[in-house]
């Protein structure tokens, strides 16, 4: 008999179930099962059934989910750090020290936040590569690719604004160098930089601006775009891995075999999240986030380097006129990425990493060309070429901008044409090889900037770089 004043069921198990499910314990029939699905949070995030083939770990490598996990870890540890940190040049560095010495688990929480933030930049980039290779940006997912690109930019912006907060030498000078890239934007660059920094140089106003961006504006935007991104994955469905002959991976023929999300997908997600959280926590126990001496605006370290993810751009600046290194080339790259899903593609070739065995070899050739070609070009420019000296009467925007850019584009076109003819390949296979070449070139430039540039930004062996 239920109490008329409290109509909830007497059985505690039943009451707990209803409080979570918003419904009574359903009978074990079809309608009951349907009601569970309708009222279940997990099944609002996921469809009730997914293609068995897309559960294969080596298809997505769990990268989208890992990015999500990292965002959660960052939010949690970020809020904890806010209890201790005050964004003022007088206190910020001291707060970092007290995290190390006075606050229980303070350094550990900072480590988790620092390493998760850096890992997120890498994971979002790798996730983008996986989506590119498996053609996950094809119809109907074109716009989700664009949302993903904005997520990548937001993740970098979040990392960059957080970089300044410890207010040590590393932070102060990396942000000084990084933000100087902005001043190369024609006409509005200087104004833009002053607006962001709250003045002509990095100061107390910059710290307040960056803090507001880092803890409120960027995270809120990021959460909004992530929700939209995941909602689109839910609506469009995850692309399904295929074999080269067009049959579905892990299935016989073209039949899409489905399994229920609970438990098949959710148990895998939970296990992966647990393992990754464990790995990040362990790493953070052993490896401390860097902290140099307190920021000193009068003493610039030599070399003064940008944050590692901007080192590819800083390296480009050493070879090109600043407007080309900092603005034209990065915008060209971003434009190409944004335009990618709107080109004409063979829509049936979705879910394969490489279009054919030949396509795989062509991708390897792209990677090797980047690994060998970029260092050769860097050495050539460093020791032999002097374009402004060769054309002293031309403005440097032409001698060190238009001319090398035109030469690079010509090399790319020759590469495209040569690969297509030599391998008798399709446009899709050739485009993939060019993409691999460009991505590899960017990675090699970043590695050169991080590991091979020492005092005065001269080239030297990694063990000579301080
Ligand atoms: C904070 C960053 C990001 C988060 C949290 C995130 C999250 C996710 C998740 C959970 C999935 C489904 C599972 C998976 O594919 O691994 C997914 C799929 C997808 N993501 Fe992202 N993502 C992020 C960044 C990006 C970036 C940088 C791009 C590309 C520029 C991108 C484009 C896509 C696309 C097109 C899909 C559908 C792929 C398919 O159906 O095969 N995402 N994302």
């Amino acid at each position: 008999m239920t109490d008329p004043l409290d109509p909830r069921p007497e059985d505690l198990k039943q009451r707990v179930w209803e409080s979570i499910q918003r419904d009574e314990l359903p009978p074990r029939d079809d309608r009951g099962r349907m009601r569970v699905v309708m009222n279940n949070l997990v099944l609002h995030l996921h469809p009730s059934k997914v293609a068995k083939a897309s559960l294969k770990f080596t298809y997505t490598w769990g990268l989208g989910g890992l990015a999500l996990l990292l965002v959660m870890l960052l939010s949690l540890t970020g809020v904890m750090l806010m209890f201790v940190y005050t964004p003022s040049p007088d206190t910020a560095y001291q707060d970092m020290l007290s995290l190390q010495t006075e606050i229980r688990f303070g350094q550990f929480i900072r480590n988790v936040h620092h390493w998760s933030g850096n890992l997120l930049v890498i994971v979002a980039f790798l996730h983008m590569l996986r989506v590119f290779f498996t053609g996950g940006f094809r119809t109907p997912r074109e716009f989700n690719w664009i949302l993903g690109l904005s997520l990548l930019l937001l993740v970098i912006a979040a990392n960059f604004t957080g970089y300044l907060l410890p207010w040590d030498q590393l932070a102060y000078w990396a942000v000084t160098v990084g933000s100087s890239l902005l001043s190369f934007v024609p006409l509005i660059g200087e104004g833009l930089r002053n607006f962001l920094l709250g003045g002509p140089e990095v100061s107390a106003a910059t710290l307040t601006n960056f803090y507001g961006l880092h803890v409120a504006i960027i995270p809120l935007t990021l959460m909004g775009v992530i929700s939209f991104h995941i909602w689109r994955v839910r609506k469009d469905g995850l692309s399904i891995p295929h074999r080269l002959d067009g049959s579905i991976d892990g299935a016989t023929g073209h039949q899409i075999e489905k399994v229920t999300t609970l438990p098949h997908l959710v148990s895998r997600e939970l296990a992966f999240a647990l393992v990754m959280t464990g790995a990040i926590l362990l790493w953070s126990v052993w490896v401390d986030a860097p902290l140099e001496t307190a920021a000193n605006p009068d003493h610039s370290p030599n070399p003064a380097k940008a944050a590692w993810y901007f080192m590819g751009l800083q390296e480009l600046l050493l070879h090109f006129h600043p407007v080309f290194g900092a603005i034209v080339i990065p915008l060209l790259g971003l434009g190409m990425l944004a335009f990618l899903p709107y080109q004409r593609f063979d829509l049936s070739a979705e879910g394969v990493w490489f279009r054919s065995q030949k396509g795989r070899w062509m991708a390897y050739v792209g990677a090797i060309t980047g690994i060998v070609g970029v260092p050769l070009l860097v050495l050539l420019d460093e020791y032999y070429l002097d374009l402004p000296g060769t054309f002293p009467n031309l403005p440097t925007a032409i001698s060190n901008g238009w001319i090398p850019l035109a030469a690079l584009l010509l090399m790319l076109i020759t590469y495209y044409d040569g690969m297509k003819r030599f391998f008798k390949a399709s446009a899709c296979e050739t485009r993939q090889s060019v993409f691999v070449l460009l991505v590899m070139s960017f990675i090699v430039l970043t590695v050169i900037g991080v590991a091979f540039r020492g005092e005065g930004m001269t080239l030297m062996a990694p063990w000579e770089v301080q």
Side-chain angles (χ1 to χ4, degrees):
M1 262 254 301
T2 42
D3 180 349
L5 293 176
D6 181 358
R8 292 176 304 170
E10 280 190 16
D11 180 20
L12 180 64
K13 186 174 143 210
Q14 184 102 1
R15 282 215 299 277
V16 171
W17 170 268
E18 284 182 19
S19 71
I20 300 169
Q21 281 295 320
R22 306 182 59 251
D23 209 344
E24 69 216 45
L25 199 63
R28 289 173 179 274
D29 57 15
D30 279 354
R31 288 195 61 172
R33 267 195 291 276
M34 212 164 77
R35 233 173 37 222
V36 171
V37 170
M38 301 279 285
N39 283 332
N40 187 297
L41 173 68
V42 171
L43 296 177
H44 268 80
L45 297 174
H46 289 304
S48 59
K49 287 189 172 178
V50 286
K52 190 174 170 197
S54 58
L55 293 182
K56 189 175 160 192
F57 182 69
T58 50
Y59 182 58
T60 63
W61 293 96
L63 290 165
L66 179 55
L68 198 61
L69 173 75
L70 289 169
V71 171
M72 289 181 200
L73 278 178
L74 282 163
S75 313
L76 187 74
T77 47
V79 169
M80 287 172 161
L81 291 172
M82 282 173 78
F83 285 106
V84 178
Y85 180 81
T86 315
S88 144
D90 301 331
T91 50
Y93 186 71
Q94 277 311 317
D95 292 342
M96 292 297 122
L97 292 181
S98 55
L99 279 172
Q100 280 176 357
T101 51
E102 286 168 30
I103 291 147
R104 201 162 292 173
F105 297 117
Q107 180 68 41
F108 173 67
I109 304 283
R110 176 169 175 238
N111 292 348
V112 176
H113 195 75
H114 176 90
W115 295 121
S116 301
N118 282 289
L119 189 58
L120 180 57
V121 177
I122 299 173
V123 167
F125 182 70
L126 291 179
H127 172 58
M128 179 185 83
L129 294 189
R130 134 31 216 154
V131 173
F132 169 82
F133 277 104
T134 58
F137 54 80
R138 286 159 203 256
T139 314
R141 303 182 187 86
E142 299 97 326
F143 186 62
N144 215 13
W145 169 267
I146 303 287
L147 289 177
L149 274 187
S150 18
L151 282 177
L152 185 63
L153 296 181
L154 280 167
V155 162
I156 292 177
N159 200 303
F160 180 62
T161 46
Y163 220 95
L164 183 66
L165 304 187
W167 203 250
D168 62 345
Q169 277 289 75
L170 189 69
Y172 186 91
W173 291 101
V175 170
T176 302
V177 175
S179 58
S180 69
L181 298 180
L182 267 186
S183 40
F184 299 122
V185 178
L187 303 177
I188 53 165
E190 213 44 63
L192 209 64
R193 182 167 183 266
N194 281 358
F195 177 70
L196 184 73
L197 300 190
E201 60 202 28
V202 177
S203 64
T206 319
L207 194 52
T208 333
N209 281 3
F210 274 39
Y211 184 69
L213 285 167
H214 186 73
V215 305
I217 295 177
I218 297 175
L220 284 177
T221 320
L222 194 72
M223 302 279 178
V225 183
I226 287 181
S227 314
F228 197 0
H229 186 61
I230 305 242
W231 177 75
R232 280 300 299 250
V233 176
R234 167 82 170 83
K235 288 289 162 190
D236 300 336
L238 196 70
S239 60
I240 297 174
H242 284 71
R243 296 194 200 95
L244 283 181
D245 65 4
S247 62
I248 291 173
D249 207 352
T252 39
H254 297 256
Q255 195 70 36
I256 300 181
E257 201 183 323
K258 293 210 162 188
V259 289
T260 49
T261 299
L262 280 165
H264 297 281
L265 174 61
V266 176
S267 58
R268 282 174 168 79
E269 285 177 338
L270 280 179
F272 181 62
L274 274 178
V275 170
M276 289 317 296
T277 311
I280 294 167
L281 296 188
L282 268 184
W283 177 268
S284 305
V285 167
W286 275 302
V287 191
D288 279 347
L291 185 70
E292 290 191 2
T293 50
N296 181 355
D298 299 325
H299 179 251
S300 151
N302 188 358
K305 290 191 179 181
W308 63 267
Y309 39 83
F310 285 147
M311 281 311 296
L313 291 188
Q314 201 178 350
E315 182 62 32
L316 271 183
L317 277 175
L318 295 173
H319 305 286
F320 280 90
H321 182 276
V323 172
F324 284 77
I327 311 295
V328 177
I329 298 179
L331 281 186
L332 261 178
L334 265 182
M336 275 161 69
L337 281 178
F339 183 62
L340 187 75
Y342 297 102
Q343 296 181 42
R344 294 204 74 76
F345 279 109
D346 171 5
L347 290 179
S348 63
E350 177 186 288
V352 280
W353 279 78
F354 299 99
R355 310 287 313 276
S356 58
Q357 199 52 37
K358 188 185 355 173
R360 184 187 290 265
W361 281 109
M362 289 173 69
Y364 292 155
V365 174
I368 293 169
T369 311
I371 293 174
V372 177
V374 172
L376 284 181
L377 286 177
V378 167
L379 287 173
L380 185 75
D381 189 40
E382 186 88 2
Y383 297 115
Y384 300 105
L385 270 186
D386 176 18
L387 288 175
T390 315
F391 304 105
N393 298 328
L394 290 179
T396 47
I398 297 183
S399 61
N400 222 14
W402 285 113
I403 292 180
L405 181 67
L408 277 188
L409 288 178
L410 200 69
M411 281 184 215
L412 264 188
I413 294 171
T414 315
Y415 177 85
Y416 181 91
D417 199 52
M419 290 296 278
K420 202 161 178 223
R421 281 167 199 267
F422 183 78
F423 281 96
K424 295 190 179 52
S426 69
C428 251
E429 287 161 333
T430 321
R431 267 194 295 236
Q432 193 178 46
S433 176
V434 171
F435 179 83
V436 173
L437 167 62
L438 290 177
V439 168
M440 194 45 92
S441 304
F442 181 70
I443 295 174
V444 172
L445 280 177
T446 307
V447 171
I448 293 178
V450 171
F452 290 84
R453 290 275 173 197
E455 216 177 310
M457 290 303 272
T458 44
L459 278 179
M460 48 183 69
W463 50 91
E464 289 168 347
V465 176
Q466 294 169 7

